[in-house]
Structures are given as C-alpha cells and as structure tokens.
Amino acid sequence: MTFRTLDTADLAGKRALVRVDFNVPVDGGKVADDTRLRAALPTIAYLSKQGAKVVLLAHFDRPKGKVVPEMSLSFVAEPLSKLLEQPVAFASDCVGPAAAEVVNALENGGVALLENVRFHAGEEKNDPDFAKALAANGDVYVNDAFSAAHRAHASTEGLAHLLPAYPGLSMQRELEALDAALGKPKKPVIGIVGGSKVSTKLDLLNNLVAKLDRLAIGGGMANTFLFAQGHDVGASLCEKDLADTAREIMDKAKAAGCELLLPVDVVVAKKVAPGVETAVRQLNEVQADDLILDAGPESAQRLLAAMDESATLIWNGPLGVFEVPPFDEATVSAAKHAGKLASEGKIVAVAGGGDTVSALNHAGVAAEMTFVSTAGGAFLEWMEGKTLPGVAALEG
C-alpha cells in the first residue's frame, strides 16, 4: 500500500479540499458527540499551519440527493470553530457560486465548511460532472474520512482522480495500522471475531482463516460452530442452517494451517438479565433450556495464553453479551490482557467495529490498544479483504 503523504505536498496558498466524516450524533439540533470532529482536527490544523486554505467536504444523514433543511451541516461550524480556536466559514452549497464565494474569501490558513455533499444526487452516483464541480474549489484533495472509504462517491473517490490526492493524518494513521495488522504483520497473528451471527461475517471469516495463524471465535456465532461440531447448544442463539458453512470454514482453516479457538467451556443462564443465576458448563453439560451467553473461564485463559504467543492481534466483535454483566467477563479479561500486552510493546493490537469499540471502552482499555478503528463498515470490509474505493484512489 503506497500513497503520497501530506508532508510531501506544496500547500502554501493552495485550496485543500478535505473530505471529513462529520456524520455526527445529534441531540436537539446540537452535536451530541464530537469524536468525529476531534478526529479531523490534526489534519485541519496541519493544513492551516502550512498556509493552505482548508475547504471541508462532508455528508450528514441520508437526504438522498435532495436539499433537506434539517440535514444541513450548518450546525457543525460553531462547535468545530471552538475546537479549532479559529473561525469556520460556512457555505450554503458545496458547488457553484455559493461555495466559490466562501472559498475565494478565505485567507491562507483559513477554514470553510461546505454544505452537505449528499444534497446532490451526483455525490452517491459518483457523477463525473459533480466531481468536477467539487474540484473547481480545490488545488489538492485530502481524504481524511476512512469511515467513508468503502463508498465510491464523488467526494470519496471521484475527486481523487481530478486533483493531486493525499490521505489526511487520521486516514494515514488508520492505513498504517491496518497494514501492520493484516498487510505486512509481525507473525504469529491471532484474530478474535465475535458477535451474534455467522451470517453477517462469512466474508470476514473466509478471508481471515486464509491469513491468520490462529482465530478465536466467540459470541453467539461460536454456538453455530459448536453445533456444527455436534455439540448441544440448548436454547442458545444458533444459526443451525449454517452448520455446513461452519464446517466448510473449519476445513478451510485446517487446510490453511490456521488454528481455530472455539470455546471449550461456556457460561449459561436461563435468561439474559443482570444478576441472574449463572453456571459454567463443559460443552457436554449444556442443558435444553440453557442460554450460552459468554465464553467460560477455561476458554478465556486459553485465549490469553494464545495472545502471549502472538505478535499481532486483530479484533472484531465481543466474546459474549458484554452489555449485561456478568456476561462480560471473557471479553473484559481478553481486552485487559490485550491492552497490557500492547502497552508493554509485546503485541500490535488493532481493533475495530462498533461493538468492539464499546467493549474496549467498557473494559477501560481502548487507549492501551495500538489502534482502535471507529470506522465500522469500512473497517469490516477491509478485514474481509475487499478493496476500498476511497483508499484505492489514493494509491500510487
């Protein structure tokens, strides 16, 4: 994976069109969580300091190519201005005279935010004419929105072919972390894949068993694999119709030399609720009305030992119903161990996906991991081995 980096760009006096992800949570017309705004600050500040005119492109919600006033990005300008500690101009359109007027009024180092690119149907269609209209306001293109990189839209892919293109600092850090995890990782590499259903992660599992040395499978999806091995999983969540598929994945892993780590003991209860009576069962002890809700202590210890023998960890999905203690124990113990190994420099630990981020925050170790991706769909597609259009457009 090779791409030009911002430190090689001539930026002084140039208009830098920067694709950011400002699709933020909103409460009462205000930004409810500014994580995505903060993620863009290093790139904006760097460009501004280099004397570029910083022109921000973003989408918000799903207006489907029409102007929807309540989906305007105007509410973002003020909180972004406070974070940057400098004014942020706002343009009522992302192309045409309204955009050009605001961009042309910028001084070197100034920042402007253009209106929601999805107000134009050409954005999601990756229409060449719309991409050209966007490019008219820029001299260089910077993509700092990895979370939107799996979409081939005008502002994420089309623009990169019209202007000198660079990843932003946040995007560059993400790409380097992902390359260290799956592209050119230090071996041995262990993966953890959890979550409720095998059906949502078939591409992921098929890609990973061909690349990893070990793969631990947890969460509800582990039940499908246990069932495929002939174990009774009681009343647990289980996609029994995917038993053949699970066996195919197990065969593929064996052929590729990837050791699958499935639970050898499980934590069960009769219902999912805090404070319910739980029991640890061996796989041959699961009763008809048991719900398997977490990996057991022996399984967790086996995973920790496997981490100790690994140089790289890639993680997507919890090991149990971590949102409802005590079914968070396996996930928390694995997360704390991964965080400890990463902070001691003994492992490169890269994690991503909404539930995974929540689980790491729940365990209080997100900051200790080597890298935690908040990109959701883009992170999952990258783990599945798919080409991300917004990344591919930057290569060269």
Side-chain angles (χ1 to χ4, degrees):
M1 190 186 306
T2 56
F3 41 80
R4 291 179 289 197
T5 53
L6 272 183
D7 56 4
T8 66
D10 174 20
L11 296 166
K14 299 289 174 66
R15 299 167 301 167
L17 278 177
V18 188
R19 181 54 159 96
V20 290
D21 182 358
F22 285 172
N23 194 26
V24 294
V26 176
D27 186 10
K30 295 191 183 300
V31 176
D33 181 342
D34 66 3
T35 302
R36 286 181 166 172
L37 302 188
R38 290 180 182 276
L41 295 181
T43 296
I44 298 171
Y46 178 81
L47 293 167
S48 180
K49 192 175 179 184
Q50 298 301 313
K53 299 171 181 181
V54 186
V55 183
L56 304 174
L57 299 172
H59 75 275
F60 178 68
D61 214 328
R62 296 180 178 175
K64 298 182 178 174
K66 297 186 176 70
V67 176
V68 181
E70 55 268 31
M71 294 182 192
S72 169
L73 272 167
S74 55
F75 73 99
V76 173
E78 185 187 350
L80 180 62
S81 174
K82 284 181 180 172
L83 289 170
L84 284 169
E85 297 181 346
Q86 72 177 94
V88 175
F90 180 74
S92 59
D93 202 348
C94 59
V95 292
E101 184 180 346
V102 170
V103 173
N104 292 339
L106 282 178
E107 295 183 1
N108 291 359
V111 181
L113 172 63
L114 307 189
E115 184 57 282
N116 193 341
V117 289
R118 288 190 182 174
F119 280 1
H120 295 264
E123 163 65 3
E124 294 188 72
K125 291 176 183 172
N126 200 3
D127 179 75
D129 290 334
F130 180 63
K132 282 178 190 167
L134 289 171
N137 287 309
D139 302 304
V140 297
Y141 169 70
V142 179
N143 191 344
D144 209 31
F146 179 78
S147 49
H150 57 314
R151 311 272 188 222
H153 292 170
S155 69
T156 60
E157 200 272 345
L159 261 177
H161 301 291
L162 300 175
L163 298 170
Y166 304 84
L169 301 183
S170 175
M171 170 83 99
Q172 182 182 335
R173 184 165 171 256
E174 182 115 25
L175 294 177
E176 288 170 350
L178 300 188
D179 201 41
L182 265 191
K184 297 187 282 287
K186 290 180 185 171
K187 287 186 165 278
V189 188
I190 185 170
I192 299 174
V193 175
S196 56
K197 293 185 175 182
V198 173
S199 54
T200 61
K201 297 194 176 177
L202 283 175
D203 290 345
L204 175 62
L205 293 168
N206 276 307
N207 184 48
L208 291 184
V209 294
K211 293 190 172 184
L212 305 181
D213 299 292
R214 282 188 171 125
L215 176 59
I217 296 176
M221 62 196 306
N223 301 336
T224 302
F225 281 86
L226 294 175
F227 175 78
Q229 288 181 325
H231 297 291
D232 188 347
V233 295
S236 310
L237 174 67
C238 178
E239 294 175 289
K240 295 180 178 178
D241 57 325
L242 288 180
D244 285 342
T245 305
R247 282 189 282 268
E248 286 168 17
I249 292 169
M250 288 188 273
D251 289 342
K252 187 174 177 181
K254 188 175 182 180
C258 174
E259 181 188 355
L260 281 189
L261 299 177
L262 289 164
V264 291
D265 62 341
V266 292
V267 177
V268 302
K270 304 306 181 192
K271 63 178 181 177
V272 185
V276 295
E277 187 179 341
T278 66
V280 175
R281 302 233 199 272
Q282 297 301 305
L283 297 181
N284 61 353
E285 298 172 343
V286 177
Q287 299 172 5
D289 58 348
D290 278 342
L291 294 171
I292 298 172
L293 300 171
D294 198 9
E298 192 181 334
S299 303
Q301 284 305 313
R302 200 171 58 129
L303 175 55
L304 268 50
M307 281 190 213
D308 288 336
E309 295 171 10
S310 303
T312 303
L313 164 68
I314 181 164
W315 188 344
N316 175 258
L319 300 173
V321 187
F322 77 95
E323 303 92 339
V324 186
F327 310 115
D328 60 345
E329 287 186 12
T331 301
V332 168
S333 68
K336 286 188 171 176
H337 197 65
K340 180 174 180 288
L341 291 174
S343 61
E344 291 173 354
K346 293 177 180 173
I347 200 168
V348 173
V350 175
D355 284 349
T356 317
V357 176
S358 298
L360 294 173
N361 285 329
H362 173 71
V365 299
E368 294 173 30
M369 303 291 278
T370 311
F371 187 80
V372 178
S373 173
T374 56
F379 180 81
L380 194 59
E381 287 197 20
W382 168 79
M383 280 185 74
E384 290 168 353
K386 294 176 181 172
T387 297
L388 306 183
V391 172
L394 297 174
E395 290 190 48

